[in-house]
């Protein structure tokens, strides 16, 4: 059990933790959330003892081990397997002592302890963890120095998981993982035997937590359930507290008015004094401060191109003529496609994106593009391409050289950089702000196709939701490469699998893909890697049956998603109409416009009702099909 009592910590005159209190029961999987800069990572450092608190206590049971992912990627000539095994110092020390011990009693004690900690199965457990994070058996024997920094950070994560501490602290563990690694980690943590406290912007990962700890205004508040439940409870609390604050303010004004009116009259003096005392005792209800989330805005193409906007016929692509990365590509992209690319890192997702974007020429086959098609391409490595000394305004000015100052600043503000932010050097922007700037610059001229390669790495949960909304409003085609399941599920209506040297449509949803990714662990029975429970049916039967069910249900899923997208669009339209119609001046100065807006709102309401009816009907068909199929 982790107990935090009255914890206080300040930095540079700012209070991050103000008498914060928390009890985390043993074995709990908890997510730690809060706005950027609230102090989440600082709390981890306090728990680890890296820094000292000004007041309060942090208590753990005697002998508890606290573990985290190393901040620096492991390097050197030690193999990946050796690095992971070294994360259990007791095992290493006992094995070393066993080589030199001569006392029979000590030798017996050593081997008894080695058996107790499962030392002889440790290499298999380490191999399962490394495999789950994307390292094949041959790669596990290679030295750390042979891998890039991102892959070595996966080794650091593997070491932390292998050590099995009593309290595991994970700070954004999916930042260096692909979708497959994220799915595996999710399954691993679901069966982890000890306590986990997780900082993450991955909504699906947080949704599987048993508790959400919210760090806000220096306080820690625990909520039962996953992130979606927390979000609902927080919004309900915000609404209730706002109503109470408004009601109290009205009460305060009424009492003050009575005092001001009657305090000078002898007949009302006693009542006025009573009101003054009551007013002094009236504790103000603190309003919940919600951090404003800047919206994304992607400029849509002026007019849609005739489909298909891109067609591939037997295309081969790669970087060396004798070693193609992708073969037999027979695909088409239409002007309104929303495609999510699946597949492990190294299978060729980025190669395919570069091929579509025109940054890589096909080696063989025919690739046909629509005339005048424009493509916007965003990738994480481009963050380093921003001029650090130039502000967002400077970057926008380059694209609007002949426009007046006011228009350039208005456009910069529309990208999410209001006020002084637009004049801040890019080198001083946060990772999320840099990503926002690059996304805005990439889509500046209304591209026909938008390719996003891991756009969420530096975005918090609310910004990721804003990205989903912007993609829904954007009318061009989209190709997504991301490890964020929420983004894929919400923004993609088609999934393509990059595997075995080619790209093919995947007939299913992200849950079907999760089952496919974890199926090898079920088939092999590697439950040490915390995969799902093995079933009694053969893997071949499972895959065949799942494929048949996906084929039957995929059209219904697409209809449901189409209806949901339409409902969201009509709801946004109605909200916009309501906002504009709420202006009293509109009816006096522009009665014709008011009438037009009212008519348009009625049409949007009718369209929303139709979309809701379609959603209900198709959902009923889907439920019926699921029931009849026995799933």
């Amino acid at each position: 059990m982790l107990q935090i009592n009255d914890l206080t910590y300040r930095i540079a005159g700012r209070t991050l933790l103000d008498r914060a209190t928390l009890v985390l029961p043993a074995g709990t999987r908890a997510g730690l959330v809060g706005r950027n800069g609230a102090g989440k990572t600082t709390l981890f450092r306090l728990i680890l003892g890296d820094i000292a608190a000004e007041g309060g206590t942090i208590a753990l049971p005697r002998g508890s081990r606290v573990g985290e992912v190393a901040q620096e990627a492991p390097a050197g000539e030690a193999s990946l397997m050796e690095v992971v095994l070294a994360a259990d110092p007791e095992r290493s020390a006992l094995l070393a002592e066993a080589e030199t011990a001569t006392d029979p009693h000590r030798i017996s004690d050593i081997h008894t302890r080695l058996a107790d900690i499962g030392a002889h199965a440790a290499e298999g457990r380490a191999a399962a963890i490394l495999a789950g994070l994307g390292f094949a058996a041959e790669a596990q024997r290679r030295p750390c120095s042979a891998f890039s920094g991102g892959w070595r950070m996966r080794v650091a994560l593997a070491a932390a998981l292998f050590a099995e501490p009593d309290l595991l602290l994970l700070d954004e563990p999916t930042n260096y993982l692909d979708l497959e690694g994220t799915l595996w980690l999710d399954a691993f943590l679901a069966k982890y035997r000890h306590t986990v406290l997780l900082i993450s912007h991955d909504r699906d990962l947080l949704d599987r937590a048993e508790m959400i700890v919210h760090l806000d205004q220096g306080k820690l508040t625990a909520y039962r359930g996953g992130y979606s439940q927390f979000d609902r409870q927080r919004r309900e609390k915000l609404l209730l507290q706002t109503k109470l604050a408004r009601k109290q303010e009205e009460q305060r004004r009424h009492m003050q008015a009575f005092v001001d009116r009657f305090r000078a009259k002898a007949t009302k003096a006693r009542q006025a004094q009573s009101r003054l005392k009551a007013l002094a005792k009236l504790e103000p209800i603190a309003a919940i401060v919600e951090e404003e989330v800047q919206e994304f805005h992607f400029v849509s193409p002026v007019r849609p191109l005739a489909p298909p906007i891109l067609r591939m016929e037997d295309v081969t692509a790669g970087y060396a003529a004798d070693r193609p990365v992708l073969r037999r590509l027979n695909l088409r992209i239409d002007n309104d496609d929303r495609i999510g690319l699946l597949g492990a890192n190294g299978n060729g997702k980025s190669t395919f994106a570069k091929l579509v974007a025109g940054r890589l020429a096909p080696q063989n086959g025919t690739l046909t593009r629509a005339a005048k098609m424009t493509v916007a391409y965003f990738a994480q490595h481009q963050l380093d391409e921003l001029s650090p000394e130039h502000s967002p305004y400077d970057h926008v000015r380059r694209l609007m050289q002949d426009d007046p100052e006011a228009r350039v600043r208005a456009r910069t503000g529309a990208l999410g950089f209001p006020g002084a932010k637009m004049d801040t050097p890019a080198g001083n922007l946060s990772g999320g702000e840099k990503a926002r700037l690059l996304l805005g610059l990439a889509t500046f001229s209304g591209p026909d196709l938008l390719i996003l390669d891991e756009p969420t790495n530096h975005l918090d949960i609310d910004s990721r939701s804003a990205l989903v909304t912007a993609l829904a409003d954007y009318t061009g085609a989209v190709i997504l490469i991301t490890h964020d399941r929420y983004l894929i599920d919400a923004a993609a209506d088609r999934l393509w699998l990059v595997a075995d040297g080619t790209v093919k449509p995947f007939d299913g949803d992200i849950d079907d893909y999760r089952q496919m990714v974890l199926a090898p662990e079920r088939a092999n029975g590697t439950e040490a890697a915390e995969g799902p429970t093995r079933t009694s049916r053969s893997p071949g039967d499972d895959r065949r049956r799942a494929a048949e069910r996906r084929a039957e249900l995929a059209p219904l899923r697409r209809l449901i998603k189409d209806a949901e997208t339409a409902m969201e669009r009509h709801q946004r339209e109605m909200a916009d109409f309501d906002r504009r119609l709420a202006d009293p001046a509109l009816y006096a100065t522009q009665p014709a416009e008011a009438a037009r807006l009212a008519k348009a709102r009625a049409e949007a309401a009718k369209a929303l009702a139709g979309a809701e009816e379609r959603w209900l009907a198709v959902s009923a068909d889907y439920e019926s099909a699921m029931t009849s199929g026995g799933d």
Side-chain angles (χ1 to χ4, degrees):
M1 176 184 293
L2 170 66
Q3 289 184 306
I4 297 175
N5 295 307
D6 293 334
L7 193 66
T8 299
Y9 184 82
R10 296 180 180 86
I11 183 169
R14 188 164 68 95
T15 301
L16 292 180
L17 294 160
D18 183 13
R19 299 181 64 85
T21 297
L22 173 69
V23 175
L24 199 62
T28 301
R29 296 187 306 279
L32 177 60
V33 302
R35 61 179 175 79
N36 289 342
K40 301 186 294 295
T41 300
T42 298
L43 178 60
F44 272 19
R45 294 181 63 201
L46 287 164
I47 294 172
L48 288 163
D50 294 340
I51 55 177
E54 294 182 19
T57 60
I58 299 174
L60 285 162
R62 184 185 299 273
S64 294
R65 294 179 302 121
V66 181
E68 64 164 345
V69 179
Q71 296 299 306
E72 293 186 6
E77 296 307 308
S79 71
L80 308 190
M81 177 63 70
E82 291 169 341
V83 169
V84 173
L85 291 174
D88 186 348
E90 182 184 12
R91 173 184 174 277
S92 300
L94 288 171
L95 288 174
E97 188 179 355
E99 295 291 330
T100 58
T102 57
D103 180 7
H105 296 292
R106 180 55 187 160
I107 293 173
S108 175
D109 291 342
I110 290 172
H111 286 284
T112 299
R113 181 57 183 164
L114 285 171
D116 289 343
I117 65 176
H120 301 296
E123 189 164 335
R125 189 163 60 87
I129 292 173
L130 283 167
L133 294 176
F135 295 99
E138 184 275 331
Q140 296 174 18
R141 304 295 173 184
R142 292 168 60 192
C144 284
S145 58
F147 295 89
S148 66
W151 282 97
R152 284 186 280 123
M153 285 306 300
R154 293 194 189 200
V155 180
L157 173 60
L161 300 178
F162 174 79
E164 281 195 57
D166 301 292
L167 173 60
L168 177 60
L169 303 178
L170 295 177
D171 192 345
E172 297 292 354
T174 63
N175 272 1
Y176 298 97
L177 299 182
D178 54 11
L179 177 59
E180 292 68 27
T182 300
L183 292 170
W184 179 88
L185 178 63
D186 192 357
F188 182 97
L189 294 179
K191 289 183 174 289
Y192 191 72
R193 298 177 297 172
H194 308 297
T195 307
V196 178
L197 188 55
L198 166 75
I199 299 173
S200 179
H201 292 142
D202 187 314
R203 185 168 184 146
D204 276 28
L205 199 60
L206 290 173
D207 255 340
R208 286 164 176 73
E210 300 164 314
M211 178 187 294
I212 296 294
V213 179
H214 188 206
L215 175 53
D216 182 50
Q217 300 182 59
K219 304 295 185 183
L220 293 169
T221 307
Y223 295 80
R224 285 188 173 276
Y227 185 85
S228 294
Q229 292 169 274
F230 152 74
D231 194 42
R232 186 185 68 251
Q233 294 177 65
R234 180 186 62 167
R235 293 181 187 280
E236 291 172 351
K237 182 178 179 181
L238 171 62
L239 181 61
L240 176 62
Q241 201 151 340
T242 301
K243 287 180 178 178
L244 289 175
R246 190 182 300 120
K247 184 177 180 181
Q248 186 191 69
E249 185 58 31
E250 292 174 359
Q251 183 182 5
R252 182 183 294 277
R253 282 199 302 268
H254 179 76
M255 294 169 69
Q256 187 65 54
F258 183 92
V259 170
D260 292 343
R261 184 177 180 186
F262 295 114
R263 69 192 306 173
K265 293 189 176 183
T267 57
K268 297 288 186 179
R270 181 173 295 178
Q271 292 94 323
Q273 287 299 320
S274 176
R275 296 291 198 284
L276 274 174
K277 291 178 182 178
L279 194 61
K281 293 179 180 179
L282 201 60
E283 290 283 342
I285 296 173
I288 299 177
V289 179
E290 287 283 284
E291 185 179 25
E292 183 180 358
V293 179
Q294 292 291 335
E295 296 180 351
F296 290 93
H297 176 65
F298 301 146
V299 180
S300 294
V302 176
R303 57 178 61 87
L305 299 173
I309 60 174
L310 185 144
R311 183 190 294 276
M312 298 182 189
E313 297 176 87
D314 203 26
V315 168
T316 298
Y319 306 95
D322 58 335
R323 286 182 297 165
V325 177
L326 299 170
R327 307 177 184 85
R328 304 181 305 279
L329 300 180
N330 293 285
L331 301 162
R332 63 177 278 167
I333 300 175
D334 290 340
N335 54 10
D336 59 349
D337 272 339
R338 303 299 167 97
I339 299 165
L341 291 187
L342 307 176
N345 278 0
N347 280 7
K349 295 193 299 291
S350 293
T351 298
F352 181 76
K354 292 174 183 176
L355 177 67
V356 173
R359 301 188 176 196
L360 182 67
Q363 294 175 330
N364 290 300
T366 303
L367 192 156
T368 307
R369 305 174 188 276
K372 299 182 180 179
M373 183 181 78
T374 57
V375 180
Y377 184 86
F378 171 90
Q380 278 298 319
H381 64 80
Q382 293 174 328
L383 295 183
D384 298 328
E385 296 177 7
L386 290 170
S387 300
E389 69 278 8
H390 292 129
S391 66
Y393 167 83
D394 295 329
H395 284 87
V396 173
R397 167 54 79 184
R398 292 176 185 172
L399 302 176
M400 303 178 67
Q401 295 183 9
D402 299 327
D403 289 86
E405 177 84 359
R407 189 172 180 184
V408 177
R409 290 198 171 274
R411 189 68 185 274
T412 309
L415 295 185
F417 297 91
K421 272 293 180 185
M422 70 175 64
D423 294 313
T424 302
N428 295 336
L429 297 176
S430 67
E433 288 168 337
K434 290 178 181 177
R436 178 182 295 278
L437 177 57
L438 273 174
L439 283 167
L441 296 174
T443 60
F444 200 81
S445 301
D448 301 292
L449 172 62
L450 175 58
I451 301 174
L452 300 179
D453 190 347
E454 294 295 354
T456 65
N457 276 0
H458 295 283
L459 302 182
D460 59 24
I461 291 179
D462 292 331
S463 294
R464 294 181 187 201
S465 295
L467 178 60
V468 169
T469 301
L471 289 173
D473 291 337
Y474 174 70
T475 60
V478 176
I479 293 179
L480 272 174
I481 303 172
T482 179
H483 65 265
D484 189 311
R485 289 161 287 174
Y486 174 75
L487 179 59
I488 290 181
D489 210 32
D493 53 23
R494 301 178 65 190
L495 299 177
W496 287 0
L497 178 60
V498 185
D500 302 321
T502 192
V503 183
K504 292 183 178 179
F506 180 78
D507 194 7
D509 59 16
I510 198 67
D511 289 329
D512 295 320
Y513 185 64
R514 178 181 184 275
Q515 293 175 16
M516 190 188 82
V517 168
L518 299 176
E521 291 182 3
R522 291 204 304 273
N524 296 329
T526 54
E527 295 183 17
E530 312 301 351
T533 307
R534 188 177 181 178
T535 63
S536 59
R537 293 177 295 190
S538 73
D541 289 341
D542 281 347
R543 288 193 292 271
R544 186 163 49 253
R545 186 169 178 271
E548 292 170 355
R549 295 297 294 147
R550 287 197 300 270
E552 294 170 4
L553 298 175
L556 292 175
R557 286 198 192 99
R558 281 194 287 271
L559 290 173
I560 289 173
K561 189 172 288 291
D562 289 345
E564 289 174 344
T565 301
M567 288 161 59
E568 291 174 0
R569 184 174 67 253
H570 296 317
Q571 286 168 347
R572 287 195 300 272
E573 289 173 350
M574 290 178 63
D576 182 57
F577 289 136
D578 288 340
R579 177 182 59 79
R580 295 164 70 181
L581 288 168
D583 182 7
L586 178 68
Y587 302 89
T589 60
Q590 303 180 62
E593 176 66 6
R596 188 192 69 79
L597 290 174
K599 182 179 179 181
R601 189 200 183 282
E603 291 173 352
K606 183 178 179 181
L608 174 60
E612 289 174 342
E613 289 177 5
R614 289 196 302 276
W615 183 85
L616 288 170
V618 179
S619 295
D621 291 343
Y622 181 81
E623 292 296 329
S624 177
M626 288 287 288
T627 304
S628 64
D631 285 346

